[in-house]
Amino acid sequence: MTQQPAGARDANGNLKKPSDGEPDAEFGAVITLDREDDDEDADANMAAAAAGAGAGASSQVIEDESDFTQSFEIDALMVEEVKKKCVELDYPLMEEYDFRQDDVNANLEIDLSPKTTIRDYQEKSLSKMFGGGSSGGRARSGIIVLPTGAGKTLVGITAACTVKKSTIVLCTNALSVEQWANEFRKWSTLQDHQIAKFTADSKQRFAGNAGVVISTYTMITHSGKRAFDTQKMIEFVNSHEWGLMILDEVHVVPANVFRKVLTTVASHTKLGLTATLVREDDKIEDLNFLIGPKLYEANWMDLATRGHIAKVEATEIWCPMPGDFYKEYLASRSGKKRLLCVMNPTKFMVAEYLIKSREEAGDKIIVFSDNVFALEYYAKRLGRPYIYGGTSHEERSRILNFFRHGHPRFKTILLSKVGDTSLDLPEATCLIQISSQFGSRRQEAQRMGRILRAKRRNEEGFKSRFYTLVSKDTDEVLFSARRRAFLVDQGYEFRIVSNHETLFPQDGGATLRSLNFYSADDQARLLKDIRAVNDDAGMDEEVAVADDDLAGAWMKQNMQQNQLRRTKKLQAARRAAAALNGQPGFGRGAGAAGGVAAAKEKKTHSLFKAWKKK
């Protein structure tokens, strides 16, 4: 499927460019079916020629590509349906753009900066994108998967430098827009006047007929009322014919958002970029026909072995609960159970020991807790800085700046889930999870990515460290098994420490006694503090999501849906337990029949009770 310049046509059938401010409603997809000159076709042609010669007929040699190409245009609203149907028929369409032959759209003056060097795996991923067609001069639509720190942004910029047509980049939030703009300036010859940022705070156009627009999915797809300058920018985006559309972090974008983008923004080729082609709602397959197939996926372990990303040692540590805590856990509801898991004194001691020992080893440490009550408790007890949704922008910047530059009092920072998508985090070499978002594989991979960039320490045998602390014999064990499944698929080996005491030095218990909550009295006071708070303290942080933060909004919605499913399951389990209560041998009820009759009697309206008595 070759994407040709499409749009309004004149009386002679030639393409003409839409005027400014007029969206091209007819833009769809022009599909070209090419019979490639492969061995099978060559054999067929030779056989046909031989047969013709034997019959006394003259053979005909086809030299012009147009002689064996059939083209037709599909309505814009039906493109997705055609792609989806072809996937179902096991005949997926390969969407290609013959950009070198596109003389309708203006060329963009852009090249890689002379100081820019791309790595072999980046070059290989781009060869999968630009290897289409018999001439090898076409751009294929699809998805490239590279781990965090492996240079996804540079791959996108190199693709723009290859196509040399107007490019639109869509990101999940305004922070990413700024990062992309800075990367374009750093790695390419693009000048400021050729870059347009379209966010809530910036609505500028590029100068000239071709340039780069960097915006967010939300800004492009928002359907409510818009300010005048925002509406004019939307009209500019929708009326322009884009040679390349780069879709950043495609794994977090809901399908309905993609549909709106692809039907309102006219682009010839689409490049999706992500580090984790994983979604918790199992709709990742939709990307095959919305964007295109997976063109390339790098092997994480191979890149780590070659030094392009950090080598990581992943460890899961099981932390048993003291008896009183576990009794409280068994008797508590879900919210309080989660709080008891993260506030487990054994987990606190292990976290404290890891922080102190890794700081002494020279590591920069990030501690993640989705629970804010625990986050504050840990941070204040350990005397370490922390950031959560309620932390001011100024305070966040101050803490992260100190951490980035290695301030001695900021070797460790504690983060809530705002650190997953909403912060530009500095490099770290050690990550400790004390609580997380249930069984989210995406969050596990996202957090692993926070330490994959740590390549500056090149001591012999150095590895970044990824610790997950799990309260033993609780729901956390099941959730953790699901979370680590993605990383195991990437080739990482998880070392499971079932006996936490083996972590500590054999010094007669001196190290243990120096840690918080070692004594029974301290543990009793901690349990009293936990009992004093309500169940809501055990729930994960409700992160305030900015209007242009699609990733944050998707995470929040996904978490709410997961919590709703768990609540429904819990209610069903309680109803089943209540029903069993009425059966002989299962509680205090007077038998199954009596239990059912009692239930019916309870549900019967008083009016019908009176009628039955009559």
Side-chain angles (χ1 to χ4, degrees):
M1 171 176 159
T2 302
Q3 191 82 13
Q4 302 281 6
R9 299 176 182 268
D10 59 24
N12 297 321
N14 298 320
L15 295 161
K16 64 179 183 179
K17 195 158 181 67
S19 59
D20 290 340
E22 294 181 1
D24 186 3
E26 297 301 320
F27 186 97
V30 176
I31 296 185
T32 302
L33 302 179
D34 296 336
R35 291 176 53 196
E36 300 291 350
D37 189 17
D38 54 21
D39 294 338
E40 183 178 345
D41 290 334
D43 292 342
N45 289 337
M46 290 176 64
S58 60
S59 61
Q60 182 181 6
V61 179
I62 300 175
E63 296 180 353
D64 185 4
E65 182 179 340
S66 62
D67 289 341
F68 56 92
T69 299
Q70 298 295 327
S71 298
F72 54 92
E73 187 169 358
I74 297 176
D75 183 87
L77 297 177
M78 297 302 296
V79 172
E80 179 189 332
E81 191 64 30
V82 171
K83 289 182 181 179
K84 188 174 182 179
K85 190 65 177 177
C86 287
V87 170
E88 292 173 357
L89 295 173
D90 199 24
Y91 191 79
L93 296 177
M94 180 65 73
E95 186 175 347
E96 297 178 350
Y97 170 38
D98 197 356
F99 58 91
R100 299 189 195 280
Q101 303 301 320
D102 181 4
D103 55 3
V104 175
N105 295 294
N107 288 330
L108 174 63
E109 295 298 325
I110 181 175
D111 285 296
L112 288 177
S113 171
K115 65 180 181 181
T116 303
T117 303
I118 64 172
R119 297 168 180 161
D120 57 348
Y121 63 87
Q122 293 170 319
E123 187 174 355
K124 185 176 181 180
S125 69
L126 289 164
S127 72
K128 300 294 184 181
M129 179 180 181
F130 293 102
S134 57
S135 64
R138 296 171 181 166
R140 290 176 173 173
S141 291
I143 299 170
I144 292 176
V145 186
L146 293 175
T148 303
K152 293 187 301 297
T153 306
L154 181 55
V155 168
I157 293 171
T158 306
C161 293
T162 305
V163 173
K164 294 185 185 299
K165 300 291 181 182
S166 288
T167 298
I168 182 167
V169 182
L170 297 182
C171 312
T172 55
N173 53 49
L175 178 63
S176 297
V177 171
E178 289 295 333
Q179 292 172 345
W180 269 93
N182 291 335
E183 294 296 292
F184 262 107
R185 297 186 192 100
K186 179 180 179 181
W187 300 114
S188 77
T189 59
L190 211 62
Q191 303 298 310
D192 284 343
H193 68 273
Q194 297 172 288
I195 302 175
K197 292 181 292 186
F198 180 26
T199 64
D201 300 323
S202 177
K203 301 170 184 65
Q204 62 193 56
R205 297 188 185 187
F206 52 73
N209 295 324
V212 173
V213 168
I214 309 172
S215 185
T216 66
Y217 296 98
T218 309
M219 291 297 293
I220 297 297
T221 59
H222 181 66
S223 57
K225 272 193 169 185
R226 293 182 178 271
F228 176 78
D229 54 349
T230 303
Q231 186 60 40
K232 296 300 290 182
M233 191 67 182
I234 283 290
E235 291 173 359
F236 168 71
V237 169
N238 290 347
S239 64
H240 204 82
E241 201 168 295
W242 304 96
L244 173 64
M245 177 188 291
I246 298 175
L247 302 152
D248 195 21
E249 301 291 352
V250 291
H251 64 287
V252 303
V253 185
N256 63 317
V257 173
F258 270 129
R259 290 185 177 96
K260 193 163 186 180
V261 168
L262 301 180
T263 54
T264 59
V265 181
S267 65
H268 288 290
T269 190
K270 297 173 286 292
L271 173 60
L273 297 173
T274 182
T276 55
L277 203 55
V278 172
R279 285 176 68 105
E280 303 308 323
D281 56 7
D282 297 323
K283 292 187 179 293
I284 202 71
E285 294 299 325
D286 289 356
L287 298 181
N288 279 339
F289 57 84
L290 289 172
I291 299 175
K294 181 173 66 178
L295 299 174
Y296 179 82
E297 181 171 8
N299 183 290
W300 290 32
M301 296 303 293
D302 177 58
L303 297 187
T305 301
R306 295 162 58 193
H308 296 310
I309 58 176
K311 294 180 180 179
V312 178
E313 180 182 279
T315 306
E316 182 175 298
I317 304 171
W318 292 357
C319 306
M321 281 188 181
D324 290 344
F325 274 76
Y326 197 64
K327 287 179 183 177
E328 189 77 18
Y329 172 84
L330 294 175
S332 298
R333 294 186 176 182
S334 58
K336 188 62 69 70
K337 279 186 174 181
R338 282 180 56 75
L339 186 59
L340 286 161
C341 283
V342 68
M343 295 300 293
N344 175 0
T346 308
K347 182 183 286 192
F348 196 108
M349 288 190 287
V350 171
E352 182 181 359
Y353 171 72
L354 290 175
I355 289 171
K356 290 179 177 178
S357 61
R358 297 317 309 169
E359 283 183 345
E360 290 177 1
D363 281 332
K364 296 170 70 175
I365 306 165
I366 295 176
V367 180
F368 269 106
S369 172
D370 285 13
N371 182 276
V372 176
F373 178 89
L375 182 82
E376 291 183 307
Y377 206 104
Y378 273 67
K380 291 176 179 177
R381 190 85 179 197
L382 297 173
R384 301 298 193 279
Y386 65 99
I387 297 174
Y388 71 111
T391 307
S392 68
H393 177 74
E394 293 76 14
E395 182 67 7
R396 293 184 189 190
S397 300
R398 187 183 72 86
I399 292 173
L400 293 177
N401 191 51
F402 281 139
F403 183 71
R404 180 178 288 108
H405 293 96
H407 190 286
R409 293 183 59 190
F410 290 79
K411 294 179 180 179
T412 299
I413 57 174
L414 286 83
L415 300 177
S416 72
K417 63 172 61 176
V418 298
D420 289 330
T421 59
S422 304
L423 296 177
D424 181 17
L425 292 182
E427 291 181 3
T429 54
C430 178
L431 190 143
I432 302 171
Q433 289 190 116
I434 57 175
S435 79
S436 51
Q437 185 182 322
F438 303 102
S440 172
R441 298 165 296 163
R442 182 212 54 77
Q443 189 187 57
E444 190 87 346
Q446 190 94 15
R447 290 180 174 177
M448 171 70 86
R450 297 302 188 184
I451 55 176
L452 289 180
R453 290 192 178 98
K455 303 181 288 292
R456 293 180 183 174
R457 290 185 57 175
N458 52 11
E459 308 97 288
E460 185 69 27
F462 171 77
K463 293 182 179 180
S464 293
R465 285 169 168 79
F466 185 86
Y467 294 103
T468 301
L469 309 188
V470 177
S471 287
K472 194 174 180 179
D473 298 325
T474 68
D475 292 341
E476 285 191 342
V477 176
L478 178 62
F479 293 141
S480 181
R482 175 173 168 80
R483 289 173 62 86
R484 68 171 180 266
F486 174 81
L487 299 180
V488 170
D489 290 342
Q490 298 301 319
Y492 287 97
E493 293 183 4
F494 264 80
R495 182 170 67 100
I496 296 180
V497 179
S498 57
N499 182 3
H500 71 286
E501 293 183 355
T502 60
L503 295 170
F504 304 113
Q506 302 301 311
D507 55 6
T511 299
L512 276 170
R513 288 191 293 272
S514 68
L515 299 174
N516 282 283
F517 304 118
Y518 172 77
S519 71
D521 290 342
D522 284 345
Q523 291 179 11
R525 282 191 288 269
L526 175 60
L527 183 57
K528 183 179 179 181
D529 289 342
I530 296 172
R531 285 170 174 164
V533 299
N534 57 35
D535 290 353
D536 291 341
M539 304 308 291
D540 287 347
E541 179 185 26
E542 285 282 342
V543 180
V545 178
D547 292 337
D548 58 359
D549 186 0
L550 184 63
W554 182 81
M555 283 178 58
K556 182 176 180 179
Q557 181 185 18
N558 190 54
M559 184 190 73
Q560 290 172 340
Q561 290 173 346
N562 287 340
Q563 288 178 340
L564 181 61
R565 282 193 291 268
R566 282 189 298 275
T567 301
K568 288 181 177 179
K569 286 182 180 178
L570 181 62
Q571 290 172 344
R574 286 175 178 167
R575 286 194 295 270
L580 288 174
N581 248 359
Q583 296 181 15
F586 285 96
R588 299 175 302 217
V596 173
K600 285 184 178 179
E601 180 69 19
K602 188 175 182 180
K603 290 181 180 178
T604 304
H605 194 277
S606 57
L607 177 65
F608 292 99
K609 289 180 183 177
W611 178 77
K612 283 183 178 180
K613 288 178 181 178
K614 290 180 181 180

